[in-house]
Amino acid sequence: MTVAQSSAPARAGVVHIKHRHTTHFTVVGNHLAQHADLSLVAIGIGVYVQSLPDGATIGIKDLTRRFPEGEITIARALRELEKAGYLERRRVRNDKGQVATVTRWYEQPTSAAPLAPVKPTEPQPEPEAPADPPAAELLAALRRRDPRLLLSRKDIAALAPAVRDWLDRGISPAQITRTLTADLPVGPIRRPARLLAHRLREWIPPHLPAIEEKQVPPRPHPLQTCDGCDRAFRAPAPGLCRDCRTAAA
């Protein structure tokens, strides 16, 4: 009797059951999938990162929320991918002076190009304090009365001297605010600074006239009692009345 001989090798390897993907698939080069120096965790993270869209976050905490491996294991794997040239992370400063981490993933490490150097952001000068704080504060607060009276710093600096002229004439801030915001036109105000400049210039009240000091009449002398006749008379000090002084003379 003939015994059937099996054609299968003594040590069978993996057999691929192939499927042609048309959607939801990722192309991964063998240089990553079969990398000789990367750990299995690093290769797995690399395949996962390559499947993500641009803008996805791949920080250590993001990956630990997704996978059961701990932060130390994932951090070590990310360092492996950086060393192999797949991953690049750099902290840079943007145009607003904020520090952010820029991350790049290279599907083919040989095509990796270093991140372009980012020009350091020059510190913005501190805004100068207004030359006349009371006048500047009055102008800046006008938008609380009417949102259409929104002024820029440049507008406030230009109008402040005119407001100071009103203040120097004894007009209170409340009176100036009422004058500038009363009877405004209906609809949008395209140039509020120009409208306010016109009112400050054309509606300024005159200086108050100087107050003349009135001549105060002298106070009369107090009443005194005559030492000679006991008659009352006015004099700066006690003594004799006029008649008694005449008789005594």
Side-chain angles (χ1 to χ4, degrees), residues 108-142:
Q108 178 65 45
T110 55
S111 64
L115 287 172
V118 179
K119 295 181 179 179
T121 303
E122 295 182 359
Q124 298 295 324
E126 291 292 330
E128 296 183 1
D132 192 334
E137 291 173 5
L138 185 153
L139 290 165
L142 292 178

Side-chain angles (χ1 to χ4, degrees), residues 175-199:
Q175 290 176 305
I176 298 174
T177 299
R178 285 195 297 269
T179 302
L180 296 180
T181 58
D183 300 325
L184 292 171
V186 178
I189 300 177
R190 301 188 181 279
R191 297 180 179 178
R194 178 176 293 185
L195 181 147
L196 295 174
H198 173 81
R199 291 191 170 192

Side-chain angles (χ1 to χ4, degrees), residues 13-43:
V14 63
V15 176
H16 293 275
I17 308 303
K18 296 185 178 181
H19 172 75
R20 182 179 181 82
H21 295 277
T22 57
T23 60
H24 300 90
F25 66 93
T26 301
V27 177
V28 179
N30 285 340
H31 54 81
L32 173 59
Q34 301 179 12
H35 201 289
D37 299 324
L38 291 177
S39 66
L40 185 59
V41 176
I43 292 175

Side-chain angles (χ1 to χ4, degrees), residues 39 41-42 45 64 69-80:
S39 66
V41 176
I45 291 178
T64 53
E69 285 75 14
E71 293 186 5
I72 296 177
T73 301
I74 288 178
R76 185 185 302 115
L78 291 176
R79 288 195 296 269
E80 290 183 49

Side-chain angles (χ1 to χ4, degrees), residues 88-107:
E88 185 176 13
R89 294 176 294 183
R90 180 179 297 180
R91 292 176 66 81
V92 297
R93 191 178 298 275
N94 59 21
D95 294 338
K96 296 181 180 180
Q98 300 169 333
V99 178
T101 300
V102 175
T103 305
R104 284 183 177 178
W105 176 260
Y106 296 98
E107 295 184 0

